[in-house]
Each structure stands twice: as structure tokens, then as C-alpha cells.
């Protein structure tokens, strides 16, 4: 089988200025008889030597595509107002030259894989082929969710951005091709449902996010005191729920519970929260940056993930689960991951529920350690790279695309 990948960003083993790891890890474990050739706009600006590394690691050929000069000019900061009045997101105006389209077709591929929501319009240039488009998320759903957040309404600049970008992405998703040779994969069930709702005749489907940074060697046995972790930058993805959670933890009067844990913040922007918890009797560490993220995560027993907003699959939740931590998270944190509440993770809706769970864990260690084991097993099985790669490429081998 031969597949052409057309992408806004060049694949890489880790995310480099974009979601470059998703396509990389769907490619790296593909079956040996699948030949892939990549055409990339390289918006994540991988240097030449890195691109050659990726070619060798993935056994692919990568061709770099030119970004039009006018787009380079319009992307400059002083041209912001021009971009504001564009009907579609800025990167949607990327296109393939006739020569590139002809070269791709001359290779007689079995299918076309397009990565990057903004370049969905390129699908129309290959209408005779089976085509897979990968978002990887629904940006329209992201902006829709953001517009419902209290903290967005209180910040004029943030609110204006959401109000400008939401209709752009909504128009884009409503323009998706609706023929039986095109399918749109996203790594979020709600994302796929939202696209379907906005474009009822479009074939949209959920594909689990592959996980790759895994250690199965860690023995899952909680330390004394139990090591809690909150990982990630304190930005608007977490801000609202994190503020509420820390306030509840600060005002808890349960001294025995506080003595049972040591809490570490891993990421920037947590200074105020760390100080507040210390002053209320919690044992707290703050690590702004860890040279080896996975090794630092694995030192802990439980990760609390108070995500307020977002779409798709949350990578730091997968990181924690796959490396043996019990994850306590909001519904947004846990969505699209193959775990089940109270069996392989803990999902909370109100911050006070976290305190209730933290009170239970020291007296029922084995129960919650087993929950962490279950979570790791679920991710290793259901988010396996080879399994998901096969699911993706089977789309090109199937007789047709069903409406999912």
C-alpha cells in the first residue's frame, strides 16, 4: 500500500511547535508493507538535519512545500487586522501547486492522508482517492467551549479572540467534503460528534490517541508520605479549576490528611498556589522545569489534573496513566482516554470530592494502587501505537467509508 501524507507540520517523535508527535507515532509502528511519502509545509520549522533523522526513523521520504510569500508577509504582527477579516483560519489559505498535485497523482497512491485541520480544503484536489483527514481536534469545539467559560468573559482580549476564531473554524468544518471516499479522524469523541452536528453529511470518527513515552518497569506501590503531583503550566487550560481545587485544599482542616501527602507542582506559574498550601500546613514542592519529564512524573504516586477546558486527548494525563500513576481528574481531563471512573481512574466534578478521596487513600492503599495498575493496563492496551496505526491505515484498504 502506498499513502501520501500532506501535512502542515513535519512529524517528530515529540511535539515541536505543534502536534508533530501524533502523526509520527501513527507512522513509526505501521506495517512494513505500507509505503508513505510525506509532503510538509513544515510550519513547525524543523531544521534540515532533524528532517533527515525523521526520514530515517520512519523510513519515509519528506518533501518540503513552499509557503506563499504573501502569507509570510501577512503573518507579521502589524498585519493582524488583515487576518482578523479573513473568512477562514489563516493556514487554510495554504495550497498545493498544480505541479505538486500532478506529481502526487503520478505516483498512483492508494490513499491521501491530510494532517492539520486548516488544510482540509486540499481534500478536494484528490476527490478520486480515498482520503483521511486528521484534525487532530475540532478547533470550533475548542472555541465554543472557551466562550462558555467565566474567566473568558472577564478578559476582553481573550473574549475577542474566541469570538473572532470560533466562526472561522465553524465555517471550515461546515465546508468539509461529504463524499464516501473522505473521512475525518479526531482524537476526541466530542470533537467527532461536534463536527457531525455542524456538518451532518460529513464522515467524522474518533481515533484514540497513541501513547509512546511508557515505562512498564515501575512497581506501583505508594510511598510514605504519598506523593501527589499537579503537572503542567498554570495557564487557562487549568486556571479556573486549579484555583478552586487549591482553595478547597487550603481550607481543609484535616491535619491527618495533610500529613499523609507531599504535593509537587511541576511546571511554571504555581508559586502563589504553592505558598498558599504551605502556609495552610501542606508539604509542598515546586519544580518549574524538569530535564526529564517522564522520570520526574514516575517519582510520584498520584496525579491530580484540574483541567478546566480543552478538546481532544490530554497528553499529560496519558503520560501519568501509562507510567503507573493513579489519576484524579476533571471530566475534561479524562475524556477520550480508555479508563473508567472508580476502576482505572477517579473523575471528579467538584473540588471537594478530591478531599474526600484523599482522605480515603491512606487507609485503602491496595485498592487505589490496583486502580493505578488498571489505568496503566488500559492505556497500554487501548492506546497502543501499532493497534491505532493499523486502524488508521485499514481505512485506505477498506471497500468504502461508512458514516460513523
Amino acid at each position: 500500500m502506498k499513502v501520501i501524507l500532506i501535512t502542515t507540520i513535519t512529524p517528530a517523535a515529540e511535539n515541536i511547535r505543534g502536534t508533530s508527535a501524533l502523526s509520527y507515532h501513527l507512522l513509526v509502528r505501521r506495517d512494513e508493507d505500507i509505503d508513505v511519502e510525506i509532503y510538509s509545509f513544515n510550519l513547525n520549522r524543523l531544521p534540515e538535519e532533524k528532517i533527515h533523522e525523521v526520514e530515517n526513523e520512519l523510513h519515509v521520504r519528506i518533501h518540503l512545500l513552499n509557503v506563499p510569500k504573501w502569507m509570510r508577509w501577512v503573518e507579521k504582527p502589524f498585519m493582524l487586522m488583515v487576518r482578523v477579516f479573513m473568512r477562514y483560519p489563516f493556514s487554510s489559505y495554504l495550497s498545493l501547486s498544480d505541479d505538486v498535485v500532478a506529481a502526487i497523482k503520478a505516483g498512483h497512491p492508494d490513499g491521501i492522508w491530510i494532517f492539520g485541520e486548516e488544510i482540509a480544503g486540499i481534500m478536494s484536489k484528490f476527490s478520486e482517492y480515498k482520503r483521511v483527514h486528521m484534525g487532530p481536534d475540532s478547533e470550533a469545539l475548542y472555541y465554543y467551549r472557551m466562550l462558555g467559560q467565566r474567566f473568558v468573559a472577564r478578559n476582553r482580549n481573550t473574549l475577542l479572540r474566541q469570538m473572532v476564531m470560533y466562526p472561522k473554524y465553524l465555517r471550515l468544518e461546515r465546508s468539509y467534503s461529504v463524499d464516501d471516499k473522505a473521512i475525518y479522524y479526531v482524537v476526541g469523541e466530542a470533537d467527532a460528534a461536534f463536527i457531525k452536528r455542524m456538518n451532518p453529511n460529513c464522515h467524522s470518527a474518533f481515533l484514540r490517541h497513541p501513547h509512546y513515552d511508557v515505562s512498564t518497569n515501575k512497581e506501583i506501590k505508594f510511598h510514605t508520605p504519598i506523593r501527589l503531583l499537579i503537572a503542567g503550566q498554570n495557564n487557562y487550560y487549568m486556571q479556573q479549576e486549579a484555583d478552586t481545587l487549591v482553595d478547597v485544599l487550603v481550607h481543609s482542616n484535616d491535619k491527618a490528611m495533610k500529613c499523609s501527602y507531599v504535593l509537587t507542582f511541576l511546571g511554571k506559574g504555581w508559586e502563589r498556589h504553592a505558598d498558599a498550601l504551605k502556609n495552610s500546613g501542606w508539604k509542598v514542592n515546586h519544580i518549574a522545569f524538569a530535564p526529564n519529564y517522564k522520570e520526574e512524573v514516575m517519582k510520584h504516586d498520584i496525579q491530580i489534573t484540574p483541567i478546566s477546558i480543552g478538546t481532544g486527548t490530554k497528553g499529560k494525563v496519558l503520560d501519568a496513566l501509562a507510567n503507573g500513576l493513579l489519576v484524579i481528574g476533571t471530566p475534561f481531563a479524562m475524556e477520550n482516554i480508555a479508563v473508567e471512573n472508580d476502576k482505572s481512574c477517579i473523575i471528579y466534578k467538584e473540588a471537594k470530592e478530591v478531599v474526600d478521596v484523599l482522605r480515603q487513600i491512606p487507609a485503602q492503599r491496595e485498592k487505589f494502587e490496583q486502580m493505578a495498575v488498571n489505568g496503566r493496563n488500559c492505556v497500554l492496551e487501548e492506546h497502543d501505537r501499532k493497534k491505532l496505526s493499523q486502524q488508521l491505515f485499514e481505512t485506505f484498504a477498506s471497500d468504502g467509508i461508512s458514516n460513523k
Side-chain angles (χ1 to χ4, degrees):
M1 178 191 297
K2 181 174 182 178
V3 173
I4 300 294
L5 168 59
I6 304 166
T7 177
T8 53
I9 55 179
T10 306
E14 62 287 333
N15 284 333
I16 300 176
R17 293 178 287 274
T19 54
S20 51
L22 176 54
S23 55
Y24 180 99
H25 290 285
L26 287 169
L27 286 167
V28 72
R29 296 293 304 278
R30 73 186 188 276
D31 292 343
E32 292 182 0
D33 62 347
I34 300 174
D35 179 29
V36 176
E37 198 164 350
I38 299 175
Y39 289 79
S40 174
F41 287 102
N42 199 33
L43 297 187
N44 53 337
R45 304 187 301 282
L46 261 61
E48 185 176 351
E49 61 271 19
K50 181 66 175 177
I51 291 172
H52 289 322
E53 282 181 25
V54 171
E55 286 181 314
N56 292 330
E57 291 163 358
L58 296 180
H59 307 291
V60 298
R61 299 170 299 286
I62 298 177
H63 309 277
L64 296 185
L65 299 167
N66 292 324
V67 175
K69 290 182 179 179
W70 72 265
M71 291 189 71
R72 296 290 191 196
W73 177 255
V74 174
E75 71 179 353
K76 295 180 184 297
F78 65 85
M79 296 295 287
L80 174 62
M81 290 308 296
V82 174
R83 300 198 300 277
V84 166
F85 288 103
M86 287 179 164
R87 183 170 176 79
Y88 295 101
F90 182 59
S91 296
S92 300
Y93 295 90
L94 290 167
S95 63
L96 301 181
S97 69
D98 292 341
D99 289 343
V100 170
V101 173
I104 290 172
K105 291 183 177 182
H108 303 291
D110 296 288
I112 306 293
W113 175 16
I114 292 174
F115 188 91
E117 181 171 18
E118 291 86 354
I119 58 170
I122 289 175
M123 299 271 277
S124 63
K125 293 182 178 291
F126 301 97
S127 57
E128 66 269 38
Y129 295 91
K130 291 178 182 175
R131 289 152 290 145
V132 165
H133 175 247
M134 188 169 288
D137 307 334
S138 164
E139 284 293 309
L141 175 61
Y142 167 75
Y143 288 112
Y144 176 81
R145 286 179 169 181
M146 285 288 284
L147 285 167
Q149 295 295 303
R150 295 191 306 274
F151 71 89
V152 171
R154 294 195 295 264
N155 186 309
R156 185 179 64 178
N157 290 339
T158 303
L159 178 61
L160 286 173
R161 174 172 172 76
Q162 315 315 310
M163 293 176 66
V164 168
M165 298 307 296
Y166 174 58
K168 290 178 185 289
Y169 278 99
L170 194 57
R171 291 186 201 106
L172 177 65
E173 292 178 9
R174 284 175 170 165
S175 73
Y176 283 179
S177 299
V178 296
D179 62 88
D180 290 337
K181 291 183 177 181
I183 188 169
Y184 296 83
Y185 277 128
V186 282
V187 293
E189 288 186 281
D191 302 66
F194 187 86
I195 292 170
K196 184 70 177 174
R197 192 160 68 248
M198 297 301 106
N199 189 343
N201 295 317
C202 170
H203 304 296
S204 62
F206 169 50
L207 181 76
R208 291 203 185 278
H209 198 297
H211 197 70
Y212 43 89
D213 198 7
V214 177
S215 174
T216 57
N217 298 324
K218 177 185 176 180
E219 180 187 10
I220 298 179
K221 188 172 181 62
F222 293 169
H223 296 84
T224 302
I226 299 168
R227 299 177 183 178
L228 298 178
L229 178 69
I230 295 179
Q233 292 186 36
N234 181 23
N235 54 25
Y236 54 74
Y237 292 106
M238 284 198 190
Q239 187 178 58
Q240 187 166 292
E241 289 296 334
D243 287 351
T244 302
L245 173 64
V246 169
D247 184 64
V248 168
L249 295 176
V250 164
H251 288 95
S252 170
N253 295 319
D254 192 331
K255 293 182 179 180
M257 178 188 69
K258 293 179 180 180
C259 290
S260 298
Y261 297 95
V262 57
L263 172 62
T264 297
F265 290 99
L266 176 55
K268 297 178 180 179
W270 296 107
E271 291 80 5
R272 177 173 58 85
H273 299 79
D275 288 343
L277 287 166
K278 283 180 183 177
N279 293 336
S280 68
W282 286 85
K283 289 171 281 190
V284 181
N285 299 314
H286 180 209
I287 302 171
F289 173 77
N292 189 312
Y293 178 81
K294 185 180 81 171
E295 285 187 6
E296 188 60 43
V297 168
M298 288 175 61
K299 295 175 183 176
H300 298 84
D301 304 309
I302 300 170
Q303 177 169 295
I304 305 176
T305 311
I307 290 179
S308 309
I309 196 64
T311 52
T313 304
K314 314 309 182 294
K316 284 184 169 50
V317 178
L318 280 178
D319 287 335
L321 287 163
N323 288 294
L325 278 70
L326 170 64
V327 175
I328 304 172
T330 59
F332 276 143
M334 309 308 300
E335 66 178 350
N336 309 313
I337 299 175
V339 285
E340 187 176 348
N341 186 33
D342 289 333
K343 292 185 178 179
S344 45
C345 72
I346 297 171
I347 300 173
Y348 74 91
K349 294 182 180 179
E350 296 184 15
K352 63 181 181 180
E353 297 171 38
V354 177
V355 173
D356 294 338
V357 172
L358 292 180
R359 285 178 176 144
Q360 296 173 35
I361 292 174
Q364 303 179 63
R365 284 172 173 255
E366 290 185 2
K367 170 187 173 181
F368 290 97
E369 288 167 352
Q370 184 59 49
M371 202 177 289
V373 171
N374 296 343
R376 180 167 68 182
N377 291 340
C378 288
V379 170
L380 294 181
E381 180 178 350
E382 297 300 327
H383 294 262
D384 176 68
R385 292 182 293 180
K386 188 168 185 64
K387 177 178 181 177
L388 294 168
S389 178
Q390 288 174 340
Q391 183 180 341
L392 169 67
F393 286 104
E394 281 172 3
T395 306
F396 297 110
S398 63
D399 293 333
I401 292 173
S402 62
N403 198 347
K404 299 185 180 182

